[in-house]
Amino acid sequence: MERREFLQKCIMVVVGASVPVSALTFIDPKKVFAANPDIQWAFLVDTNKCVGCGFCVKACKTENDIPFEAHVSRTWVERYVYTKDDKRYVDSPQAALHGFIDSRIDLGRGEFKEIDPKNVGKAFFVPKLCNHCSSPACTQVCPVGATYKTDDGVVLVDRSWCIGCGYCIMACPYGARFFHPVKHVVDKCTFCYHRLSKGLDSACVNACPFKARRMGNIHDPNDPITQIIMNERVGVLKDEFGTKPQAFYIGLAQEVR
Amino acid sequence: MYSYHRKSNVMEWKNQPAKYGVSGRERMHEYCSACHGAVVKVRTEKLHGIIPCEDCHGPAMNHPENPEKLTIDRSRELCLRCHTNLPYTTSERHRIPGINPKTHNTGAECVKCHNPHNPSLEGMK
């Protein structure tokens, strides 16, 4: 092969090889992933915005057929009151189904405590629900395999397989599970899975007038919720349990657990 | 990590019927104003515009077909959820005007005097 011929062939190879490379740049990885969105649902609670109206609890119970009069709920709101003489009070009367319409603290057993308004140091409300942990304790203890985590990160219970033994109720560090008084199986927050799959917000997110409750896809870096979780100071409940909760809180206090 | 999966159950949960309707304040106002335009317009401009219609009017997924008429909660307790005066200066609750339910027109429904869609005191009935 002559030197001239060799160089000509080299140029042809380089030009030929560069065509498929430039063609490859048309494939945008983002667009490929958008066709198969990898969804992981996460919840964001802004405790600074919550006023304790309890509309979320009312909407949740209505949407998911949890009897109003039963003292169980998939979500609830807690009130924290710190007094100036360094006492702390927490209550959640009827899971805050009717909000906080009494300034007295519900101590349980029918006892109520009035706190002198001048003695109130700080007070706030914290909505709670199932954390849909990445590493849930509840799904591991089920003896019949009735509870599981879906591909998009929601912990569900198969009502036809649950035998109602209550192991998962004990295993959950957050007290998010309870025994359904009508269905006689374990029940818990589903992130309103039926609503999410229809493109709707969950009932509690929908009902909150103050946007204290929000939901998003934590695998989508452009999701506003993911942006907040990535860029702002958020906390999770009981991190030391290693359950990797997927409900994030803005404005946590150390007493909130 | 070790755990079970019940793939056949996922569709069962997905197929549960929804009760509350369109999500998001803007979309909801758009949907409701198709028939109730005048009252939606009043409330969007006033303070109570942030409250979703369904919080007081009840779930409206297939309204107006089913249910034809919504059950409106006009109870005093509904308003008191936000408007009970609680002495919490550090909470957002403090920014909402509050009353003492034991002394403020006890037993009367709030909507007898206050217009829930336009709550400013000039707009009182």
Side-chain angles (χ1 to χ4, degrees):
Chain A
M1 193 185 286
E2 283 181 27
R3 180 184 156 86
R4 185 186 194 77
E5 197 185 344
F6 173 73
L7 284 174
Q8 273 178 346
K9 281 191 174 159
C10 276
I11 290 167
M12 273 175 73
V13 167
V14 169
V15 170
S18 70
V19 170
V21 169
S22 63
L24 272 176
T25 58
F26 284 109
I27 300 170
D28 185 348
K30 268 187 197 160
K31 282 180 189 161
V32 175
F33 283 121
N36 297 299
D38 196 6
I39 300 174
Q40 282 289 310
W41 293 109
F43 208 90
L44 180 68
V45 178
D46 190 341
T47 58
N48 298 319
K49 289 182 180 163
C50 183
V51 304
C53 66
F55 274 129
C56 48
V57 183
K58 184 192 175 197
C60 174
K61 282 202 163 191
T62 309
E63 177 75 33
N64 297 299
D65 291 322
I66 313 295
F68 270 38
E69 61 277 9
H71 286 265
V72 289
S73 183
R74 290 182 175 196
T75 184
W76 65 100
V77 183
E78 293 170 357
R79 163 169 65 180
Y80 290 75
V81 179
Y82 299 55
T83 61
K84 283 177 180 160
D85 53 7
D86 204 29
K87 290 202 173 76
R88 283 120 202 232
Y89 298 94
V90 189
D91 73 339
S92 182
Q94 279 191 291
L97 170 63
H98 305 292
F100 293 87
I101 58 174
D102 197 335
S103 59
R104 297 177 303 168
I105 303 290
D106 187 351
L107 299 174
R109 305 176 306 274
E111 290 173 39
F112 296 88
K113 182 168 176 66
E114 187 71 73
I115 297 174
D116 180 12
K118 290 193 195 80
N119 193 23
V120 174
K122 64 178 171 184
F124 52 88
F125 300 95
V126 180
K128 294 255 184 100
L129 71 164
C130 170
N131 287 273
H132 294 272
C133 307
S134 289
S135 176
C138 53
T139 58
Q140 292 181 62
V141 297
C142 181
V144 293
T147 181
Y148 61 98
K149 204 167 162 65
T150 63
D151 299 333
D152 43 6
V154 180
V155 178
L156 295 177
V157 180
D158 187 337
R159 282 181 170 169
S160 56
W161 277 54
C162 176
I163 55 170
C165 69
Y167 273 135
C168 56
I169 301 175
M170 300 313 277
C172 175
Y174 307 98
R177 286 170 170 258
F178 59 90
F179 197 67
H180 196 296
V182 179
K183 306 276 180 194
H184 299 296
V185 287
V186 155
D187 201 69
K188 66 178 290 296
C189 163
T190 60
F191 270 173
C192 281
Y193 203 56
H194 58 298
R195 294 180 62 83
L196 292 183
S197 52
K198 293 175 180 73
L200 301 163
D201 285 339
S202 66
C204 60
V205 172
N206 198 26
C208 182
F210 304 96
K211 295 198 173 170
R213 289 168 169 262
R214 295 162 78 186
M215 243 176 110
N217 173 14
I218 205 170
H219 277 189
D220 175 8
N222 299 319
D223 192 303
I225 304 306
T226 314
Q227 287 286 330
I228 293 174
I229 293 168
M230 285 197 303
N231 301 326
E232 289 181 28
R233 281 160 285 177
V234 294
V236 292
L237 302 173
K238 294 183 185 173
D239 194 25
E240 67 276 15
F241 278 65
T243 49
K244 300 192 188 79
Q246 296 302 299
F248 298 86
Y249 285 78
I250 299 174
L252 270 188
Q254 73 167 28
E255 285 79 9
V256 181
R257 306 200 69 245
Chain B
M1 197 198 70
Y2 171 74
S3 80
Y4 298 99
H5 195 65
R6 299 272 319 123
K7 204 172 173 68
S8 61
N9 180 241
V10 174
M11 280 319 284
E12 281 176 37
W13 279 110
K14 278 191 179 176
N15 292 335
Q16 294 264 326
K19 290 180 189 163
Y20 284 92
V22 274
S23 279
R25 200 168 300 147
E26 292 77 20
R27 277 200 282 164
M28 173 195 67
H29 279 152
E30 201 183 305
Y31 177 81
C32 298
S33 61
C35 302
H36 310 285
V39 75
V40 170
K41 190 169 183 302
V42 168
R43 72 187 299 279
T44 45
E45 288 163 2
K46 302 296 174 186
L47 291 159
H48 276 179
I50 61 165
I51 306 172
C53 305
E54 290 173 315
D55 276 10
C56 309
H57 290 263
M61 188 54 172
N62 296 317
H63 175 72
E65 286 82 36
N66 175 39
E68 229 169 88
K69 263 185 112 59
L70 301 178
T71 20
I72 306 174
D73 190 348
R74 291 190 181 85
S75 69
R76 187 177 163 85
E77 284 69 32
L78 187 98
C79 307
L80 289 178
R81 284 168 179 266
C82 295
H83 294 289
T84 304
N85 184 37
L86 297 175
Y88 306 153
T89 49
T90 57
S91 168
E92 274 289 292
R93 179 70 169 253
H94 193 65
R95 301 203 303 134
I96 303 173
I99 53 116
N100 184 350
K102 291 192 189 96
T103 55
H104 184 98
N105 300 320
T106 323
E109 280 182 355
C110 310
V111 291
K112 278 187 179 159
C113 305
H114 300 272
N115 178 356
H117 294 130
N118 179 9
S120 62
L121 291 179
E122 296 90 65
M124 274 182 54
K125 287 176 192 170

